[in-house]
Amino acid sequence: MTERAEIDNIDKAREAEILKAEHELVWPSPEIRTNAWVTDYEALYKQSLDHPERFWAEQALALDWYKPWDKVLDESEKPFYKWFVGAHTNIVQNALDRHLHTHRRNKLALIWEGEPGDTRTFSYHALAREVAKFASVLRSMGVKRGDRVTIYMGRVPELVIAMLATAKLGAVHSVVYGGFSTEALADRIEDAQSRVLVTADGGYMRGKIVNLKQTADEAVQRSGYVEHVVVVKRTGHAVAMESGRDYWWHDLMNLPIASPRIETEILDAEHPLFILYTSGTTGRPKGILHTHGGYQVHVATTLRWVFDIKDEDRYWCAADPGWITGHSYIVYGPLILGATSFMYEGAPNFPYPNRWWQLIERYSLNILYTAPTAIRGLMRFGESWPQRYDLSSLRLLGTVGEPINPEAWRWYHRVIGQGRCPIMDTWWQTETGGFMIAPVPSVALKPGSATRPLPGIVVDVVTEDGKSCGPNEDGLLVVKRPWPGMLRTVYRDPDRFVEQYWSKFKDRGWYLTGDSARKDDDGYLWVIGRIDDVIKVAGYRLGTAEVESALVSHQAIAEAAVIGVPDDVKGSVIHAFCILRAGVQTPTEDDVKAHVRKEMGAIAVPSKITFVPSLPKTRSGKIMRRVLKARALGQPEGDVSTLET
Ligand code: PRX
């Protein structure tokens, strides 16, 4: 049995649901359709196919450039594509500076609420001022063009400010999700070779304080690159500060060096903007590299098309800025469009499952964009929680991160959207930078399908040897043409970039997404799941190798293999199989879980740990995870002819 067939096996339940939902067309209301930014999807798509470069150039003209491009797309060194070649720009010029000369100067850019209920707001003017001041602070620490700055925080405004300040200087941010722990952070600092780390004393999550500074200290010690640590005071609990290395954010921002008068650096369009680490098939996380020019065009254009943001809207993307969704659609996309974004620090169900609905009513939010796992989690608490709140401000809903099951889609549509709000199911990846397959609010939706590719994006479902699959035939999801928001490389590992994404269909120049999908009779796409060793837990992307490495760093564990098994709320959860070292006492499951939590973070903790005497391996020594999976799910093991006996 091949890896593909394995996925088919696991996803039987999803398949049955898809078959039902395939014929269920849900149209947005006439009012939403006629007022949408894109009213004729087919025409725009056709236009983008006929003249791809002219099409993207037209979109790029909506932004400011210090100097226009000489060439829209340079394919001469493919797959190292370049966009808007010769142009000079800085994403901060588009996200902040240009708004200061318009009516948006005093418009709210960011409304924030902390988990304990404290609130802060920033106008475009105020945000730009904080960003400039922090850029001055970073510069005083010697940060210059191309230097990497690692940012490790909870969902607080300083995270956004630190990202933008780094970009303003032409330095490169590497945000590490605040839910990650020591080893994960240390690995990322080391790979990026960051001299500066921006963190916080802690963060609030479900009523508890997450001890970010302590984790940061341990990671800094392990990685050995960091010279300066800037610490935001969020919780006020006592933390150790190392003299000469650690500085409080608020102290620095009150010094005369924190000048709001600092110019935004003028950069080449292909100048690196950020690295974001994500999991791949093997080994350590990859540093996905994005650049200023193409990325800004892609995120701003797609956000406008899909979420149809109007000047008066209040938009809430409930993701974490530490993931690509937050980078593109909390920070850069909305700010470039001059929108008002809302950000919330805590969890959806703390202290009660009313928290999100209360926030929507309190701030009169118009758009909510979240992940299927959050929807399924809130669904469990029943309809009475949202029904107590006035959700009439909502106009559009969105989802991202994993396939949404039609049942959760319908609940989201009926209970939260009150049948009035269309759901934008957006398929994309850290690597793609922005939305790739998603509806615009003027097309018919199908519950559980991200619908069709956006204009300018050419995707297909193909067989292993590159033939287009027929309707309803499962295959590999590929992107057939370059797009402006595409990753430029894997940081410090260009070979891996070529190998991982471009080698499978080398002659054709197609990008391999790593997902399997199918197209239905209407050309709607249904993403099935990953075809590699990536597990999506509650929408978070984890590589089996990373979790296994955290497990074997436990003193009692000699070898480990992890698999994803289906879960009603989280999509998948991790099941770990571990071989003990000879002569050690069997640790408790809780002890191993605590170890993984400390090394990797809570999201990587297996929900089940089984100690086994051996693992199924091929004769060449590769662990056969599909056999473990089949055993865990009580399914047939399939072809085990390569199994070592
Ligand atoms: O498997 C697909 C799934 O998430 C993967 C990308 O993960 P990441 O880089 O963490 O980015 C997540 C946020 C953009 C994809 O390869 N995925 C993402 N969105 C969807 C999805 N699967 C189905 N439907 C989606 N809307």
Side-chain angles (χ1 to χ4, degrees):
M1 189 160 79
T2 62
E3 292 291 321
R4 289 250 6 78
E6 173 200 350
I7 286 175
D8 292 349
N9 229 344
I10 310 294
D11 285 302
K12 279 278 183 293
R14 173 157 166 77
E15 189 171 321
E17 276 199 292
I18 289 178
L19 289 177
K20 258 196 293 171
E22 227 177 78
H23 303 290
E24 190 179 330
L25 283 183
V26 181
W27 281 97
S29 69
E31 198 193 336
I32 287 181
R33 279 158 57 193
T34 46
N35 288 319
W37 187 268
V38 178
T39 48
D40 190 345
Y41 162 82
E42 311 285 348
L44 198 63
Y45 194 83
K46 183 168 181 311
Q47 197 186 318
S48 77
L49 277 192
D50 293 347
H51 304 285
E53 291 186 35
R54 192 198 301 166
F55 176 80
W56 282 115
E58 274 166 19
Q59 312 310 320
L61 286 174
L63 302 185
D64 271 12
W65 302 81
Y66 298 119
K67 172 181 168 285
W69 49 90
D70 305 318
K71 198 169 174 6
V72 177
L73 173 64
D74 177 358
E75 305 192 68
S76 60
E77 291 170 51
K78 63 185 175 193
F80 297 92
Y81 295 92
K82 295 193 186 84
W83 284 85
F84 305 107
V85 183
H88 289 170
T89 189
N90 186 316
I91 199 165
V92 175
Q93 155 71 9
N94 281 303
L96 295 174
D97 302 357
R98 66 175 181 154
H99 301 310
L100 305 181
H101 312 290
T102 70
H103 68 282
R104 295 196 178 114
R105 183 180 174 87
N106 289 333
K107 177 181 170 176
L108 288 186
L110 184 65
I111 305 174
W112 176 84
E113 183 162 325
E115 193 180 84
D118 47 337
T119 64
R120 289 161 76 189
T121 54
F122 295 81
S123 66
Y124 273 89
H125 168 70
L127 185 62
R129 215 178 138 80
E130 293 301 298
V131 167
K133 286 174 68 182
F134 195 61
S136 299
V137 167
L138 288 175
R139 177 164 287 170
S140 75
M141 293 179 162
V143 174
K144 53 183 190 325
R145 282 176 184 227
D147 288 354
R148 281 78 54 213
V149 173
T150 297
I151 305 173
Y152 175 66
M153 268 192 248
R155 271 193 293 266
V156 290
E158 284 80 1
L159 173 45
V160 178
I161 294 166
M163 287 167 73
L164 291 160
T166 306
K168 189 177 172 80
L169 296 176
V172 182
H173 56 72
S174 163
V175 180
V176 179
Y177 171 57
F180 274 137
S181 205
T182 317
E183 182 174 294
L185 176 59
D187 281 354
R188 287 156 175 78
I189 292 176
E190 202 167 293
D191 190 75
Q193 302 176 336
S194 295
R195 285 175 41 247
V196 176
L197 172 68
V198 188
T199 186
D201 57 352
Y204 291 104
M205 190 45 74
R206 293 201 170 80
K208 294 207 187 87
I209 289 178
V210 186
N211 215 333
L212 295 166
K213 177 66 166 59
Q214 194 185 328
T215 308
D217 285 343
E218 288 168 11
V220 165
Q221 217 160 37
R222 274 196 214 182
S223 60
Y225 279 95
V226 173
E227 291 164 20
H228 301 294
V229 181
V230 182
V231 188
V232 172
K233 190 174 262 182
R234 167 66 189 127
T235 64
H237 75 288
V239 293
M241 295 288 279
E242 191 178 304
S243 164
R245 186 196 72 181
D246 300 352
Y247 303 90
W248 288 108
W249 171 289
H250 59 270
D251 284 344
L252 296 170
M253 293 289 266
N254 281 328
L255 293 174
I257 47 151
S259 164
R261 275 164 285 281
I262 176 172
E263 293 298 316
T264 301
E265 286 284 302
I266 298 176
L267 307 169
D268 192 89
E270 282 294 331
H271 189 82
L273 169 62
F274 65 83
I275 304 167
L276 191 55
Y277 287 87
T278 193
S279 307
T281 304
T282 51
R284 298 197 153 197
K286 303 172 288 206
I288 303 299
L289 185 90
H290 286 284
T291 57
H292 280 251
Y295 174 80
Q296 63 182 355
V297 173
H298 190 120
V299 297
T301 309
T302 52
L303 182 62
R304 179 175 272 146
W305 284 340
V306 175
F307 284 115
D308 201 30
I309 299 191
K310 313 280 192 226
D311 212 21
E312 62 278 15
D313 275 342
R314 286 185 167 187
Y315 157 86
W316 182 16
C317 168
D320 194 284
W323 302 104
I324 191 68
T325 311
H327 279 53
S328 302
Y329 297 112
I330 296 179
V331 182
Y332 291 113
L335 291 175
I336 295 173
L337 296 185
T340 299
S341 255
F342 174 71
M343 191 164 130
Y344 169 61
E345 180 184 34
N349 55 353
F350 186 84
Y352 304 106
N354 64 344
R355 200 67 172 95
W356 275 19
W357 321 129
Q358 188 187 50
L359 292 168
I360 290 170
E361 179 183 289
R362 181 176 301 159
Y363 294 101
S364 184
L365 305 175
N366 308 104
I367 299 161
L368 171 65
Y369 181 34
T370 184
T373 184
I375 299 160
R376 291 191 296 257
L378 289 163
M379 217 169 121
R380 274 192 314 172
F381 296 107
E383 296 177 24
S384 63
W385 289 102
Q387 274 165 357
R388 274 181 234 161
Y389 293 86
D390 178 5
L391 303 181
S392 61
S393 58
L394 287 173
R395 187 177 83 247
L396 287 173
L397 300 173
T399 158
V400 61
E402 56 180 317
I404 181 164
N405 47 313
E407 190 197 344
W409 195 101
R410 290 189 198 104
W411 187 86
Y412 195 28
H413 187 252
R414 179 176 60 81
V415 180
I416 308 307
Q418 302 170 334
R420 180 186 72 242
C421 309
I423 296 174
M424 305 292 111
D425 180 350
T426 60
W427 179 91
W428 57 297
Q429 308 177 297
T430 307
E431 292 88 340
T432 69
F435 306 150
M436 300 293 277
I437 306 171
V440 293
S442 53
V443 304
L445 310 169
K446 296 188 186 189
S449 164
T451 75
R452 287 170 293 173
L454 286 170
I457 306 298
V458 183
V459 300
D460 200 3
V461 179
V462 301
T463 61
E464 288 283 337
D465 44 12
K467 286 197 206 68
S468 283
C469 291
N472 302 316
E473 190 189 333
D474 288 10
L476 308 173
L477 182 64
V478 294
V479 186
K480 290 186 162 178
R481 275 208 197 149
W483 64 100
M486 67 200 302
L487 77 163
R488 298 303 195 263
T489 190
V490 171
Y491 187 61
R492 298 203 302 140
D493 201 349
D495 294 345
R496 198 163 169 202
F497 166 71
V498 176
E499 166 59 29
Q500 178 109 32
Y501 303 105
W502 304 96
S503 63
K504 176 113 186 145
F505 297 111
K506 187 166 176 278
D507 301 338
R508 297 177 165 95
W510 298 343
Y511 165 88
L512 186 73
T513 65
D515 280 6
S516 65
R518 80 173 59 146
K519 250 189 215 172
D520 68 17
D521 293 321
D522 302 322
Y524 277 51
L525 288 144
W526 299 78
V527 173
I528 317 275
R530 298 289 308 188
I531 47 166
D532 51 16
D533 290 332
V534 167
I535 307 176
K536 278 273 172 161
V537 180
Y540 297 126
R541 181 166 160 182
L542 292 169
T544 49
E546 283 170 278
V547 185
E548 287 160 5
S549 123
L551 282 164
V552 297
S553 69
H554 186 285
Q555 43 85 22
I557 297 174
E559 219 179 322
V562 301
I563 55 166
V565 293
D567 179 84
D568 282 350
V569 174
K570 294 184 172 174
S572 304
V573 290
I574 296 176
H575 189 156
F577 297 85
C578 303
I579 302 179
L580 293 175
R581 283 183 196 280
V584 298
Q585 218 186 349
T586 308
T588 61
E589 230 181 278
D590 283 349
D591 176 46
V592 177
K593 285 182 182 174
H595 178 79
V596 176
R597 184 173 294 115
K598 181 160 184 316
E599 291 297 307
M600 271 286 289
I603 53 169
V605 174
S607 55
K608 192 168 170 194
I609 295 167
T610 311
F611 297 105
V612 290
S614 65
L615 291 167
K617 287 187 187 161
T618 61
R619 274 175 226 117
S620 58
K622 194 173 173 305
I623 293 170
M624 296 177 85
R625 289 196 183 74
R626 64 171 182 80
V627 173
L628 285 173
K629 209 177 228 178
R631 285 180 192 166
L633 298 174
Q635 289 171 344
E637 289 184 15
D639 177 5
V640 287
S641 59
T642 58
L643 192 69
E644 182 194 45
T645 44

